[in-house]
Amino acid sequence: MQYIVCEKPMKFELKEKEIPSPAKDEALLAIKRIGICGTDLHAFKGEQPFFSYPRILGHELAAEVLSVNDETSNLVKGDRVVVQPYINCGKCDACLAGKPNCCQNIRVFGVHTDGGMQEVISFPSRLLLKANDLSLDEIAVVEPLAIGAHAIRRAGMKAGETVVVMGCGPIGIGIIQLCKYLGATVIAVDINERRLEVVQKHFGADHVVDAMKEPKEQILSITDGHLAQSVFDATGSKKAIESGTDYMKHGGNYVLVGLFKGDLTFTHPAIHAKETTLMCSRNATLEDFEFVMKVLREGKFNLSAYVTSQVAFKKILTDFKDWASVTSGEIKVMTVLD
Ligand SMILES: [Zn+2]
Ligand SMILES: [Zn+2]
């Protein structure tokens, strides 16, 4: 079988190895789709500070079951499955509290361990979700959308509320469309006009705000001075994150989904006056995966606008640099294995 490994920053290699045999409680999977994510692009460019190489990337996967080495599993050969790539320990306080998404010993498949850019993998069957009624592309986007679903659930968002979503990349788009599904009014903020057009045209954003053009004044005007009940950051940019509470009403929630790898500064009286609930949102749980699968089954996610390119597996070797460029215009590049 073939696999593609990131040997060091800016260098992929195609290699061969034996097909693995599934360990106990694991299933052998044929990988059918690999969605390319910002994490993969940063790892390739060498921008993930604690990343170690060589590493097989890929965690947004659609797979087909080849065999199962787990008597308790309901999976059978030929099933299509969603892969929850967050391998948790099941023993730490977070796991015991029902928060495996922030397990203290978490190993994210394709980030902390070798991932899915392989023809065949062996994977814990307890983290696979049967999805024979979804297309392979739908299956592969469940994970990035579940990240947004988790953030929305963290915010306790209710129908009729107004939210601000900062950042209109693949994660922000998921938050926008799932907030719309749940009945919110969505104001999308970005510095990229093309992305703002895309979220308004294809993903249901009610209002778009150019972050370079006095965004607070625009949001005050859109909301008749009320501002947003919840603000989501999906930029990971220090400047954006530090401005987010300006768009939030008194008593609101501020949810950090994007990650900025450094210190953040907030003016305490400003966030105190609003009794800001500041929270981080990490990964996603089973509940979020199942919610996204329900939305996809109902056809309520604009998949065709989200998956902007479908490419053959080996294109990773030659074209990855282009996907990694900011000007690429891609939302989600989907790698296809036959
Ligand atoms: Zn991802
Ligand atoms: Zn744990």
Side-chain angles (χ1 to χ4, degrees), residues 35-40 59-60 85-86 111 143-144 147 171 332:
I36 304 299
C37 167
T39 306
D40 304 318
H59 59 275
E60 300 182 1
Y86 321 123
V111 178
E143 192 271 343
I147 304 261
I171 298 295
K332 183 61 69 186

Side-chain angles (χ1 to χ4, degrees), residues 208-277:
V208 294
V209 168
D210 184 333
M212 307 302 272
K213 296 178 184 160
E214 304 201 326
K216 187 180 174 185
E217 285 63 32
Q218 290 190 63
I219 292 167
L220 276 167
S221 146
I222 291 165
T223 59
D224 283 335
H226 290 282
L227 297 172
Q229 178 61 38
S230 293
V231 176
F232 299 92
D233 176 73
T235 66
S237 132
K238 178 177 166 72
K239 191 167 170 238
I241 294 173
E242 290 176 348
S243 67
T245 53
D246 292 347
Y247 315 143
M248 188 195 78
K249 63 171 69 176
H250 282 236
N253 309 297
Y254 189 28
V255 188
L256 306 186
V257 191
L259 180 64
F260 168 69
K261 295 182 176 99
D263 296 336
L264 296 170
T265 304
F266 294 99
T267 303
H268 191 185
I271 63 168
H272 202 95
K274 290 185 171 181
E275 197 181 54
T276 304
T277 301

Side-chain angles (χ1 to χ4, degrees), residues 89-92 95 103-104:
C89 76
K91 296 182 183 116
C92 72
C95 283
C103 166
Q104 203 173 310

Side-chain angles (χ1 to χ4, degrees), residues 113-189:
T113 68
D114 280 342
M117 289 185 181
Q118 318 197 51
E119 287 182 313
V120 178
I121 62 167
S122 179
F123 195 83
S125 46
R126 69 183 170 93
L127 297 172
L128 300 172
L129 301 168
K130 202 190 276 253
N132 291 326
D133 53 349
L134 294 179
S135 72
L136 290 168
D137 281 5
E138 285 174 328
I139 289 174
V141 301
V142 172
E143 192 271 343
L145 298 182
I147 304 261
H150 189 71
I152 295 167
R153 200 155 59 81
R154 293 276 289 148
M157 199 203 72
K158 294 181 200 73
E161 288 179 357
T162 296
V163 303
V164 164
V165 180
M166 302 193 294
C168 298
I171 298 295
I173 287 173
I175 299 171
I176 290 166
Q177 196 150 38
L178 295 172
C179 280
K180 286 306 299 173
Y181 176 89
L182 292 167
T185 297
V186 177
I187 304 169
V189 181

